[in-house]
Amino acid sequence: MRTETVERDADGAEGDAPGIPPKARARGPRWLRVLRWTALGVVLIVLVPLLAAGTWLRFSYAGEPGDGTRTRGRDALWLGHAWVDGRKDAGDLDRLVAQLRYTGIRDLYVHAGPLEHDGTLPEKLYPKAAWLVGGLHERLPRLRVSAWLGDVLDTESPEGLSMTDPKTRGAILTSSRQILDAGFQGLHFDFEPLHSGDRDFLDLLTRLHTLTAARHAPLSVAAHQIDPLPSLHTVFGAVSGHEKYWSQSYFGQVAHRVDQIAVMSYDTAMPLESLYGGYVAQQTELALEVTPPETDLLMGMPFYHENKFGHRAAAETVAAAVRGARLGLARTDRERVRFGLALYVDFAATEADWKAYRDSWGAPVNRLG
């Protein structure tokens, strides 16, 4: 009569598969172990860079910028279309003047478009332009009022303005002369999505700057954020079809062709206020490194409160943005005069936003007026 031998594990428990080492049984099939290790590797590949980036941004938000990083009296405010289409009246203008008087805001970007896809600009879009510019100059003569123009580009969809078309670029020049003739003192352009390296846009800016210089008018642009990591715009374009960022080199090329460049440093997808502030500090440093001293660099501030993909209102606050900009300025070019903040946008701003801007950034020695 044969006696069965019962396998026992290291703890003395009975095994259920005689002849198979207990540790091998615990690991399971080889394909399952490979799958588990692969999944762990993918998680680590994703999490480790995110944790490192988060730590870096949080570190960028640390420290004290110092009193030397306050307003230089070169700030700007984006204004909605209601100011030139007839929806605003004298009472609204009085309230706007009161809001601006004790701030460092010098430039207003008033939405006067958008341009048509062929680059033309219907005059019916801005019937009260002269009323607005005249009323502001009467009350605050140091203000400069620029026309905010732009359009959606056809870079990521079939519809939109084609920057590659020389006729369209020529029409934009004609529209620019037209809007300056209407009384605006400068031009501010925002074309999106504008891909990094776009040579046709650089050509347009060169021609526009010749026009504005002859009119003694400032030329400014709203700029995409700069690659937080080298060539990140290329990665985003390959993965999602939307590049989002500009290379630092391309940002510098644009900055050399304008009088002002305003970084749209919002809609960053940052989940926490400290990370957003650190991100703005980093963007400020990257922009300062390539913006020529004769060009005004403005960092965009979120004067709006949406919760959507890419923007969390509780994280992207005015206080965090101002502190981040001040930290970036302190670390890179503390003595720079041509630096300011650009506030987006007037119709969504709250009194708390204005208070945070004034308290964090200060007022110029000589008030506007």
Side-chain angles (χ1 to χ4, degrees):
M1 181 177 178
R2 185 168 62 86
T3 303
E4 294 286 340
T5 302
V6 179
E7 291 281 339
R8 296 180 180 273
D9 60 20
D11 296 322
E14 292 185 355
D16 57 3
I20 300 178
K23 290 183 179 179
R25 292 198 301 274
R27 288 196 297 266
R30 179 179 177 81
W31 68 267
L32 184 58
R33 298 198 304 273
V34 172
L35 182 61
R36 287 171 177 166
W37 280 107
T38 301
L40 177 61
V42 170
V43 170
L44 290 175
I45 288 173
V46 173
L47 285 182
V48 170
L50 287 177
L51 290 172
T55 301
W56 178 36
L57 291 178
R58 184 63 187 85
F59 179 77
S60 296
Y61 196 55
E64 291 298 328
D67 287 337
T69 56
R70 298 286 183 173
T71 183
R72 276 83 164 121
R74 293 176 175 269
D75 302 335
L77 172 66
W78 278 282
L79 293 176
H81 200 88
W83 288 101
V84 292
D85 68 4
R87 284 177 284 170
K88 297 289 188 179
D89 58 23
D92 296 310
L93 189 59
D94 289 339
R95 286 186 287 274
L96 175 63
V97 168
Q99 194 76 272
L100 297 174
R101 191 177 295 278
Y102 295 99
T103 70
I105 294 174
R106 181 182 64 165
D107 290 285
L108 298 179
Y109 306 143
V110 184
H111 193 270
L115 297 168
E116 297 292 305
H117 289 344
D118 62 1
T120 59
L121 180 66
E123 291 186 12
K124 64 181 181 181
L125 291 179
Y126 50 92
K128 294 192 69 175
W131 167 81
L132 176 65
V133 175
L136 286 170
H137 282 173
E138 181 181 344
R139 295 164 174 83
L140 301 174
R142 289 184 57 247
L143 267 181
R144 298 188 301 188
V145 187
S146 293
W148 167 14
L149 303 174
D151 193 17
V152 175
L153 299 181
D154 64 352
T155 50
E156 296 175 8
S157 68
E159 296 295 323
L161 183 146
S162 176
M163 193 65 67
T164 61
D165 187 346
K167 292 183 179 179
T168 299
R169 298 199 301 276
I172 294 172
L173 282 167
T174 300
S175 297
S176 299
R177 296 187 188 95
Q178 170 189 321
I179 202 74
L180 290 174
D181 289 342
F184 283 101
Q185 294 174 289
L187 300 174
H188 176 78
F189 286 96
D190 178 14
F191 292 106
E192 300 180 47
L194 183 67
H195 290 177
S196 183
D198 191 316
R199 303 299 305 178
D200 294 313
F201 182 57
L202 296 180
D203 171 71
L204 175 64
L205 290 179
T206 298
R207 297 168 69 187
L208 283 169
H209 204 220
T210 299
L211 167 65
T212 56
R215 300 281 192 109
H216 303 287
L219 173 63
S220 68
V221 293
H224 290 34
Q225 296 160 35
I226 301 173
D227 280 331
L229 298 172
S231 300
L232 191 58
H233 69 279
T234 303
V235 176
F236 262 68
V239 173
S240 67
H242 174 53
E243 290 195 1
K244 185 174 175 63
Y245 305 104
W246 286 352
S247 71
Q248 188 185 34
S249 173
Y250 186 69
F251 185 96
Q253 292 176 59
V254 173
H256 276 80
R257 288 167 169 81
V258 296
D259 302 300
Q260 294 178 326
I261 186 165
V263 185
M264 295 182 284
S265 41
Y266 35 77
D267 292 345
T268 64
M270 293 293 116
L272 301 174
E273 193 174 20
S274 59
L275 298 184
Y276 174 62
Y279 182 84
V280 174
Q282 181 216 48
Q283 287 290 305
T284 303
E285 293 174 40
L286 290 171
L288 282 169
E289 289 172 357
V290 293
T291 301
E294 63 272 15
T295 300
D296 287 343
L297 172 63
L298 307 178
M299 300 305 297
M301 302 285 110
F303 266 38
Y304 62 101
H305 303 268
E306 296 179 358
N307 286 297
K308 60 181 181 179
F309 180 76
H311 182 90
R312 184 169 181 264
E316 297 195 18
T317 65
V318 176
V322 174
R323 177 177 169 79
R326 291 180 63 200
L327 286 166
L329 178 64
R331 293 169 185 153
T332 312
D333 193 356
R334 179 183 290 272
E335 303 302 320
R336 185 185 179 97
V337 174
R338 292 186 175 274
F339 183 85
L341 306 180
L343 318 177
Y344 181 87
V345 58
D346 76 301
F347 56 78
T350 65
E351 285 304 317
D353 293 329
W354 282 103
K355 185 177 186 304
Y357 160 68
R358 293 191 186 95
D359 291 349
S360 303
W361 189 231
V365 175
N366 297 314
R367 67 180 177 85
L368 201 60

